[in-house]
Amino acid sequence: MATLIKDVTLQENIPTNILFEKHIDFIKEYGQKESSFEYGMTDYLRVSGMYWGLTALELMNASPPHSIEEILEYIKKCQDAETGGISACVNHDPHILHTLSAVQILCIYDSLKAIDVEGVVKYIKKLQLPDGSFMGDKWGEIDTRFSFCAVATLSLLNRMDAIDVNKAVDFVASCKNFDGGFGSRPLSESHAGLIYCCVGFLSVTNRLDIVDRDTLAWWLCERQLPSGGLNGRPEKLPDVCYSWWVLSSLTILGRLHWIDGNALKKFVLACQDTETGGFADRPGDIPDPFHTLFGITALSLLGHDTVQKVNPTYCMPQQVIDRLQLKPQVLGD
């Protein structure tokens, strides 16, 4: 009996170009009114939401919706004086995810002096456990996402010396599966988002020798569906965000040419909202800043020359990574 593939059908009247002006307006207007539903419901991810929107604007060569001084002041208020970590919103608990987002924003605007950098270093150092893994915050959840956040943040701060890198590498290596992929912890299912985190981690730490390169690249290529879109694991629908997680990993592995780039580009462009702007997870769904960033970054990796070049390891403009003189490991074709 044949297995039905879960996928979407692209309509005939889908956009074939990036709707830059609409996307810029969408991001600048999103959640700006403090009385709006979106604003009230996004406290728990505000700093990361700022990173998604501001990075997308930067890649589209657009200015931020607020002055840089206002942005820096807000991030400064989100840094916890006691632990040094940065939270999603003022008076929330700090978390390593939002700490990375904040540092990425500050690096984009060359403004690390706005925060207590040593406080951030101290915070991340205390999150590392004896087996090399990292907690996300004081509540103790362990995940390879946090391993990536730790080394990405510390490398941006030029403070990788603060942690035990070898043990951190050992933990990520222990999360590798028979199919070449990586999960959230040892014996967990391979997932494209976590593969990006682990491949990105190994790129930062210069340990891509751990990866089963072609086995993993083949698994990633199998994420492409007839619609051209990519899913995160077998039997799932395509989603624009995996256009980033999968493409960035393939780029780092030197295997970007293994997928049908034209088909993927068609799918990504189809996810644009032609009325409001912004990208959705799939064509016809509601757009948001998260998927908008990853739609833009995917098109950048696919060589769209009207979008700034994005770095596949850090998900930041390549020109910022060059300014910081960072050289994450990338394998050749």
Side-chain angles (χ1 to χ4, degrees):
M1 184 176 178
T3 301
L4 294 177
I5 297 175
K6 293 183 178 180
D7 200 2
V8 298
T9 301
L10 302 186
Q11 303 300 315
E12 293 184 0
N13 60 340
I14 57 176
T16 56
N17 295 302
I18 305 178
L19 309 175
F20 282 109
E21 294 304 318
K22 286 183 177 292
H23 299 325
I24 291 169
D25 289 343
F26 172 78
I27 292 173
K28 288 189 175 185
E29 294 173 5
Y30 193 91
Q32 293 302 309
K33 297 179 181 178
E34 294 190 15
S35 60
S36 71
F37 175 79
E38 289 87 354
Y39 192 93
M41 293 299 291
T42 54
D43 268 6
Y44 70 99
L45 48 69
R46 180 142 303 133
V47 165
S48 288
M50 290 169 61
Y51 157 72
W52 301 328
L54 294 172
T55 303
L57 289 174
E58 190 74 14
L59 291 170
M60 292 188 289
N61 299 298
S63 60
H66 302 290
S67 70
I68 294 176
E69 289 73 23
E70 288 179 278
I71 294 168
L72 302 182
E73 185 61 28
Y74 185 81
I75 291 174
K76 187 174 181 179
K77 289 179 180 179
C78 291
Q79 184 168 27
D80 182 64
E82 181 178 350
T83 66
I86 299 173
S87 61
C89 189
V90 179
N91 296 324
H92 284 220
D93 288 341
H95 195 285
I96 199 169
L97 289 171
H98 308 300
T99 300
L100 170 59
S101 294
V103 169
Q104 288 172 306
I105 294 170
L106 295 174
C107 286
I108 287 173
Y109 297 127
D110 197 14
S111 300
L112 284 172
K113 292 181 180 179
I115 58 167
D116 174 9
V117 169
E118 286 305 311
V120 170
V121 174
K122 178 184 71 172
Y123 176 70
I124 293 176
K125 182 177 182 179
K126 287 188 174 182
L127 292 175
Q128 188 172 29
L129 298 177
D131 67 353
S133 64
F134 285 85
M135 301 184 296
D137 59 15
K138 65 181 181 180
W139 303 110
E141 181 185 7
I142 297 168
D143 193 311
T144 46
R145 289 178 301 157
F146 309 146
S147 295
F148 171 74
C149 289
V151 299
T153 303
L154 292 176
S155 62
L156 290 169
L157 299 177
N158 194 27
R159 287 300 311 276
M160 288 284 284
D161 60 298
I163 59 170
D164 189 328
V165 175
N166 289 332
K167 283 191 175 182
V169 170
D170 288 343
F171 175 75
V172 169
S174 74
C175 298
K176 186 171 71 171
N177 293 320
F178 73 93
D179 55 15
F182 292 82
S184 60
R185 31 179 96 76
L187 304 179
S188 293
E189 177 187 12
S190 295
H191 185 283
L194 295 164
I195 287 170
Y196 160 75
C197 291
C198 292
V199 170
F201 170 96
L202 296 171
S203 171
V204 172
T205 56
N206 198 35
R207 289 301 310 275
L208 286 172
D209 58 286
I210 286 171
V211 175
D212 296 331
R213 183 185 185 186
D214 286 350
T215 302
L216 175 55
W218 182 253
W219 188 94
L220 290 167
C221 291
E222 286 190 320
R223 306 280 59 77
Q224 190 160 35
L225 298 168
S227 65
L230 300 166
N231 62 18
R233 51 200 169 103
E235 303 304 318
K236 297 295 182 179
L237 287 169
D239 187 320
V240 156
C241 70
Y242 294 113
S243 303
W244 166 256
W245 310 125
V246 173
L247 280 193
S248 58
S249 299
L250 287 173
T251 302
I252 293 170
L253 296 174
R255 293 289 183 262
L256 181 62
H257 58 287
W258 279 20
I259 67 161
D260 187 337
N262 289 329
L264 177 57
K265 185 182 296 184
K266 183 178 180 181
F267 172 83
V268 173
L269 291 173
C271 294
Q272 299 177 102
D273 191 307
T274 57
E275 295 182 9
T276 66
F279 288 73
D281 56 351
R282 285 176 282 278
D285 287 354
I286 297 174
D288 59 71
F290 175 85
H291 290 94
T292 299
L293 171 62
F294 295 128
I296 294 294
T297 53
L299 293 171
S300 176
L301 290 179
L302 289 170
H304 207 293
D305 57 9
T306 54
V307 180
Q308 270 196 50
K309 186 177 180 181
V310 68
N311 182 272
T313 299
Y314 291 94
C315 196
M316 296 167 62
Q318 182 62 47
Q319 63 182 14
V320 175
I321 302 305
D322 292 341
R323 169 164 48 81
L324 296 171
Q325 299 184 332
L326 294 173
K327 295 182 179 180
Q329 185 183 13
V330 176
L331 300 178
D333 293 341

PDB file of all heavy atoms in Angstrom, residues 164-188:
ATOM      1  N   ASP A 164      34.367  24.789  29.436  1.00  0.00           N
ATOM      2  CA  ASP A 164      35.128  23.600  29.056  1.00  0.00           C
ATOM      3  C   ASP A 164      34.633  23.157  27.678  1.00  0.00           C
ATOM      4  O   ASP A 164      33.641  22.433  27.560  1.00  0.00           O
ATOM      5  CB  ASP A 164      34.921  22.481  30.087  1.00  0.00           C
ATOM      6  CG  ASP A 164      35.857  21.300  29.869  1.00  0.00           C
ATOM      7  OD1 ASP A 164      36.202  21.034  28.694  1.00  0.00           O
ATOM      8  OD2 ASP A 164      36.230  20.646  30.859  1.00  0.00           O
ATOM      9  N   VAL A 165      35.323  23.627  26.642  1.00  0.00           N
ATOM     10  CA  VAL A 165      34.887  23.372  25.267  1.00  0.00           C
ATOM     11  C   VAL A 165      34.949  21.882  24.936  1.00  0.00           C
ATOM     12  O   VAL A 165      34.053  21.342  24.284  1.00  0.00           O
ATOM     13  CB  VAL A 165      35.727  24.187  24.264  1.00  0.00           C
ATOM     14  CG1 VAL A 165      35.341  23.825  22.825  1.00  0.00           C
ATOM     15  CG2 VAL A 165      35.529  25.679  24.497  1.00  0.00           C
ATOM     16  N   ASN A 166      35.985  21.186  25.391  1.00  0.00           N
ATOM     17  CA  ASN A 166      36.127  19.771  25.065  1.00  0.00           C
ATOM     18  C   ASN A 166      34.960  18.946  25.606  1.00  0.00           C
ATOM     19  O   ASN A 166      34.424  18.074  24.918  1.00  0.00           O
ATOM     20  CB  ASN A 166      37.451  19.237  25.609  1.00  0.00           C
ATOM     21  CG  ASN A 166      38.649  19.778  24.840  1.00  0.00           C
ATOM     22  OD1 ASN A 166      38.553  20.099  23.661  1.00  0.00           O
ATOM     23  ND2 ASN A 166      39.777  19.890  25.513  1.00  0.00           N
ATOM     24  N   LYS A 167      34.558  19.220  26.831  1.00  0.00           N
ATOM     25  CA  LYS A 167      33.418  18.497  27.400  1.00  0.00           C
ATOM     26  C   LYS A 167      32.128  18.873  26.687  1.00  0.00           C
ATOM     27  O   LYS A 167      31.241  18.030  26.494  1.00  0.00           O
ATOM     28  CB  LYS A 167      33.304  18.770  28.902  1.00  0.00           C
ATOM     29  CG  LYS A 167      34.305  17.992  29.741  1.00  0.00           C
ATOM     30  CD  LYS A 167      33.982  18.095  31.216  1.00  0.00           C
ATOM     31  CE  LYS A 167      34.922  17.209  32.035  1.00  0.00           C
ATOM     32  NZ  LYS A 167      34.601  17.266  33.485  1.00  0.00           N
ATOM     33  N   ALA A 168      32.017  20.136  26.297  1.00  0.00           N
ATOM     34  CA  ALA A 168      30.833  20.581  25.553  1.00  0.00           C
ATOM     35  C   ALA A 168      30.744  19.836  24.225  1.00  0.00           C
ATOM     36  O   ALA A 168      29.654  19.407  23.805  1.00  0.00           O
ATOM     37  CB  ALA A 168      30.880  22.086  25.322  1.00  0.00           C
ATOM     38  N   VAL A 169      31.880  19.653  23.559  1.00  0.00           N
ATOM     39  CA  VAL A 169      31.921  18.910  22.294  1.00  0.00           C
ATOM     40  C   VAL A 169      31.541  17.451  22.527  1.00  0.00           C
ATOM     41  O   VAL A 169      30.784  16.860  21.754  1.00  0.00           O
ATOM     42  CB  VAL A 169      33.324  19.012  21.655  1.00  0.00           C
ATOM     43  CG1 VAL A 169      33.450  18.039  20.484  1.00  0.00           C
ATOM     44  CG2 VAL A 169      33.589  20.439  21.180  1.00  0.00           C
ATOM     45  N   ASP A 170      32.057  16.870  23.604  1.00  0.00           N
ATOM     46  CA  ASP A 170      31.741  15.466  23.906  1.00  0.00           C
ATOM     47  C   ASP A 170      30.236  15.259  24.077  1.00  0.00           C
ATOM     48  O   ASP A 170      29.671  14.256  23.625  1.00  0.00           O
ATOM     49  CB  ASP A 170      32.464  15.023  25.183  1.00  0.00           C
ATOM     50  CG  ASP A 170      33.965  14.866  24.982  1.00  0.00           C
ATOM     51  OD1 ASP A 170      34.406  14.784  23.815  1.00  0.00           O
ATOM     52  OD2 ASP A 170      34.694  14.840  25.991  1.00  0.00           O
ATOM     53  N   PHE A 171      29.570  16.214  24.746  1.00  0.00           N
ATOM     54  CA  PHE A 171      28.129  16.071  24.940  1.00  0.00           C
ATOM     55  C   PHE A 171      27.392  16.120  23.616  1.00  0.00           C
ATOM     56  O   PHE A 171      26.519  15.282  23.340  1.00  0.00           O
ATOM     57  CB  PHE A 171      27.580  17.148  25.872  1.00  0.00           C
ATOM     58  CG  PHE A 171      26.076  17.105  25.990  1.00  0.00           C
ATOM     59  CD1 PHE A 171      25.454  16.126  26.746  1.00  0.00           C
ATOM     60  CD2 PHE A 171      25.279  18.019  25.307  1.00  0.00           C
ATOM     61  CE1 PHE A 171      24.070  16.048  26.828  1.00  0.00           C
ATOM     62  CE2 PHE A 171      23.894  17.957  25.383  1.00  0.00           C
ATOM     63  CZ  PHE A 171      23.301  16.963  26.152  1.00  0.00           C
ATOM     64  N   VAL A 172      27.723  17.091  22.765  1.00  0.00           N
ATOM     65  CA  VAL A 172      27.049  17.197  21.465  1.00  0.00           C
ATOM     66  C   VAL A 172      27.321  15.950  20.630  1.00  0.00           C
ATOM     67  O   VAL A 172      26.412  15.422  19.976  1.00  0.00           O
ATOM     68  CB  VAL A 172      27.506  18.471  20.726  1.00  0.00           C
ATOM     69  CG1 VAL A 172      27.029  18.467  19.271  1.00  0.00           C
ATOM     70  CG2 VAL A 172      26.969  19.717  21.440  1.00  0.00           C
ATOM     71  N   ALA A 173      28.546  15.433  20.664  1.00  0.00           N
ATOM     72  CA  ALA A 173      28.879  14.220  19.918  1.00  0.00           C
ATOM     73  C   ALA A 173      28.035  13.040  20.394  1.00  0.00           C
ATOM     74  O   ALA A 173      27.651  12.172  19.594  1.00  0.00           O
ATOM     75  CB  ALA A 173      30.362  13.902  20.059  1.00  0.00           C
ATOM     76  N   SER A 174      27.711  13.013  21.684  1.00  0.00           N
ATOM     77  CA  SER A 174      26.909  11.915  22.235  1.00  0.00           C
ATOM     78  C   SER A 174      25.461  11.970  21.770  1.00  0.00           C
ATOM     79  O   SER A 174      24.714  11.005  21.959  1.00  0.00           O
ATOM     80  CB  SER A 174      26.962  11.944  23.768  1.00  0.00           C
ATOM     81  OG  SER A 174      26.182  13.009  24.300  1.00  0.00           O
ATOM     82  N   CYS A 175      25.061  13.073  21.164  1.00  0.00           N
ATOM     83  CA  CYS A 175      23.688  13.244  20.683  1.00  0.00           C
ATOM     84  C   CYS A 175      23.539  12.879  19.202  1.00  0.00           C
ATOM     85  O   CYS A 175      22.462  13.031  18.629  1.00  0.00           O
ATOM     86  CB  CYS A 175      23.237  14.682  20.904  1.00  0.00           C
ATOM     87  SG  CYS A 175      23.201  15.172  22.647  1.00  0.00           S
ATOM     88  N   LYS A 176      24.617  12.387  18.591  1.00  0.00           N
ATOM     89  CA  LYS A 176      24.570  11.987  17.181  1.00  0.00           C
ATOM     90  C   LYS A 176      23.886  10.638  17.049  1.00  0.00           C
ATOM     91  O   LYS A 176      24.129   9.725  17.830  1.00  0.00           O
ATOM     92  CB  LYS A 176      25.977  11.931  16.590  1.00  0.00           C
ATOM     93  CG  LYS A 176      26.007  11.657  15.091  1.00  0.00           C
ATOM     94  CD  LYS A 176      27.399  11.817  14.507  1.00  0.00           C
ATOM     95  CE  LYS A 176      28.323  10.707  14.946  1.00  0.00           C
ATOM     96  NZ  LYS A 176      29.606  10.755  14.221  1.00  0.00           N
ATOM     97  N   ASN A 177      23.048  10.508  16.025  1.00  0.00           N
ATOM     98  CA  ASN A 177      22.272   9.294  15.802  1.00  0.00           C
ATOM     99  C   ASN A 177      22.781   8.483  14.618  1.00  0.00           C
ATOM    100  O   ASN A 177      23.604   8.954  13.824  1.00  0.00           O
ATOM    101  CB  ASN A 177      20.801   9.656  15.586  1.00  0.00           C
ATOM    102  CG  ASN A 177      20.160  10.232  16.838  1.00  0.00           C
ATOM    103  OD1 ASN A 177      20.419   9.771  17.948  1.00  0.00           O
ATOM    104  ND2 ASN A 177      19.331  11.254  16.665  1.00  0.00           N
ATOM    105  N   PHE A 178      22.268   7.270  14.465  1.00  0.00           N
ATOM    106  CA  PHE A 178      22.694   6.359  13.396  1.00  0.00           C
ATOM    107  C   PHE A 178      22.440   6.934  12.013  1.00  0.00           C
ATOM    108  O   PHE A 178      23.128   6.591  11.043  1.00  0.00           O
ATOM    109  CB  PHE A 178      21.972   5.009  13.540  1.00  0.00           C
ATOM    110  CG  PHE A 178      20.523   5.058  13.154  1.00  0.00           C
ATOM    111  CD1 PHE A 178      20.117   4.747  11.860  1.00  0.00           C
ATOM    112  CD2 PHE A 178      19.557   5.453  14.066  1.00  0.00           C
ATOM    113  CE1 PHE A 178      18.781   4.808  11.498  1.00  0.00           C
ATOM    114  CE2 PHE A 178      18.213   5.509  13.711  1.00  0.00           C
ATOM    115  CZ  PHE A 178      17.821   5.189  12.418  1.00  0.00           C
ATOM    116  N   ASP A 179      21.423   7.818  11.887  1.00  0.00           N
ATOM    117  CA  ASP A 179      21.087   8.401  10.585  1.00  0.00           C
ATOM    118  C   ASP A 179      21.930   9.624  10.253  1.00  0.00           C
ATOM    119  O   ASP A 179      21.717  10.286   9.245  1.00  0.00           O
ATOM    120  CB  ASP A 179      19.595   8.746  10.518  1.00  0.00           C
ATOM    121  CG  ASP A 179      19.140   9.665  11.659  1.00  0.00           C
ATOM    122  OD1 ASP A 179      19.994  10.261  12.341  1.00  0.00           O
ATOM    123  OD2 ASP A 179      17.911   9.771  11.872  1.00  0.00           O
ATOM    124  N   GLY A 180      22.898   9.926  11.117  1.00  0.00           N
ATOM    125  CA  GLY A 180      23.763  11.079  10.899  1.00  0.00           C
ATOM    126  C   GLY A 180      23.260  12.346  11.552  1.00  0.00           C
ATOM    127  O   GLY A 180      24.001  13.325  11.675  1.00  0.00           O
ATOM    128  N   GLY A 181      21.986  12.343  11.971  1.00  0.00           N
ATOM    129  CA  GLY A 181      21.390  13.526  12.576  1.00  0.00           C
ATOM    130  C   GLY A 181      21.706  13.663  14.052  1.00  0.00           C
ATOM    131  O   GLY A 181      22.413  12.843  14.648  1.00  0.00           O
ATOM    132  N   PHE A 182      21.149  14.702  14.644  1.00  0.00           N
ATOM    133  CA  PHE A 182      21.341  14.979  16.066  1.00  0.00           C
ATOM    134  C   PHE A 182      19.986  15.271  16.701  1.00  0.00           C
ATOM    135  O   PHE A 182      19.083  15.795  16.049  1.00  0.00           O
ATOM    136  CB  PHE A 182      22.248  16.192  16.266  1.00  0.00           C
ATOM    137  CG  PHE A 182      23.672  15.992  15.848  1.00  0.00           C
ATOM    138  CD1 PHE A 182      24.042  16.124  14.512  1.00  0.00           C
ATOM    139  CD2 PHE A 182      24.652  15.673  16.779  1.00  0.00           C
ATOM    140  CE1 PHE A 182      25.367  15.946  14.111  1.00  0.00           C
ATOM    141  CE2 PHE A 182      25.977  15.489  16.396  1.00  0.00           C
ATOM    142  CZ  PHE A 182      26.330  15.629  15.060  1.00  0.00           C
ATOM    143  N   GLY A 183      19.886  14.945  17.989  1.00  0.00           N
ATOM    144  CA  GLY A 183      18.680  15.247  18.741  1.00  0.00           C
ATOM    145  C   GLY A 183      18.957  16.228  19.861  1.00  0.00           C
ATOM    146  O   GLY A 183      20.057  16.780  19.972  1.00  0.00           O
ATOM    147  N   SER A 184      17.979  16.425  20.721  1.00  0.00           N
ATOM    148  CA  SER A 184      18.106  17.398  21.812  1.00  0.00           C
ATOM    149  C   SER A 184      19.028  16.910  22.923  1.00  0.00           C
ATOM    150  O   SER A 184      19.650  17.693  23.622  1.00  0.00           O
ATOM    151  CB  SER A 184      16.723  17.712  22.393  1.00  0.00           C
ATOM    152  OG  SER A 184      16.122  16.526  22.889  1.00  0.00           O
ATOM    153  N   ARG A 185      19.131  15.600  23.077  1.00  0.00           N
ATOM    154  CA  ARG A 185      20.009  14.961  24.061  1.00  0.00           C
ATOM    155  C   ARG A 185      20.288  13.542  23.576  1.00  0.00           C
ATOM    156  O   ARG A 185      19.697  13.122  22.583  1.00  0.00           O
ATOM    157  CB  ARG A 185      19.398  14.972  25.465  1.00  0.00           C
ATOM    158  CG  ARG A 185      17.916  14.907  25.560  1.00  0.00           C
ATOM    159  CD  ARG A 185      17.415  14.899  26.996  1.00  0.00           C
ATOM    160  NE  ARG A 185      17.019  16.191  27.505  1.00  0.00           N
ATOM    161  CZ  ARG A 185      15.895  16.808  27.201  1.00  0.00           C
ATOM    162  NH1 ARG A 185      15.064  16.279  26.354  1.00  0.00           N
ATOM    163  NH2 ARG A 185      15.600  17.969  27.745  1.00  0.00           N
ATOM    164  N   PRO A 186      21.162  12.803  24.226  1.00  0.00           N
ATOM    165  CA  PRO A 186      21.465  11.445  23.745  1.00  0.00           C
ATOM    166  C   PRO A 186      20.216  10.585  23.588  1.00  0.00           C
ATOM    167  O   PRO A 186      19.324  10.616  24.431  1.00  0.00           O
ATOM    168  CB  PRO A 186      22.395  10.906  24.848  1.00  0.00           C
ATOM    169  CG  PRO A 186      23.068  12.126  25.398  1.00  0.00           C
ATOM    170  CD  PRO A 186      22.016  13.191  25.376  1.00  0.00           C
ATOM    171  N   LEU A 187      20.151   9.853  22.477  1.00  0.00           N
ATOM    172  CA  LEU A 187      19.065   8.925  22.133  1.00  0.00           C
ATOM    173  C   LEU A 187      17.769   9.626  21.715  1.00  0.00           C
ATOM    174  O   LEU A 187      16.757   8.968  21.494  1.00  0.00           O
ATOM    175  CB  LEU A 187      18.778   7.946  23.287  1.00  0.00           C
ATOM    176  CG  LEU A 187      19.971   7.111  23.773  1.00  0.00           C
ATOM    177  CD1 LEU A 187      19.546   6.203  24.929  1.00  0.00           C
ATOM    178  CD2 LEU A 187      20.561   6.292  22.631  1.00  0.00           C
ATOM    179  N   SER A 188      17.791  10.941  21.567  1.00  0.00           N
ATOM    180  CA  SER A 188      16.613  11.665  21.101  1.00  0.00           C
ATOM    181  C   SER A 188      16.554  11.660  19.573  1.00  0.00           C
ATOM    182  O   SER A 188      17.589  11.580  18.892  1.00  0.00           O
ATOM    183  CB  SER A 188      16.617  13.108  21.614  1.00  0.00           C
ATOM    184  OG  SER A 188      16.462  13.148  23.005  1.00  0.00           O
TER     185      SER A 188
END
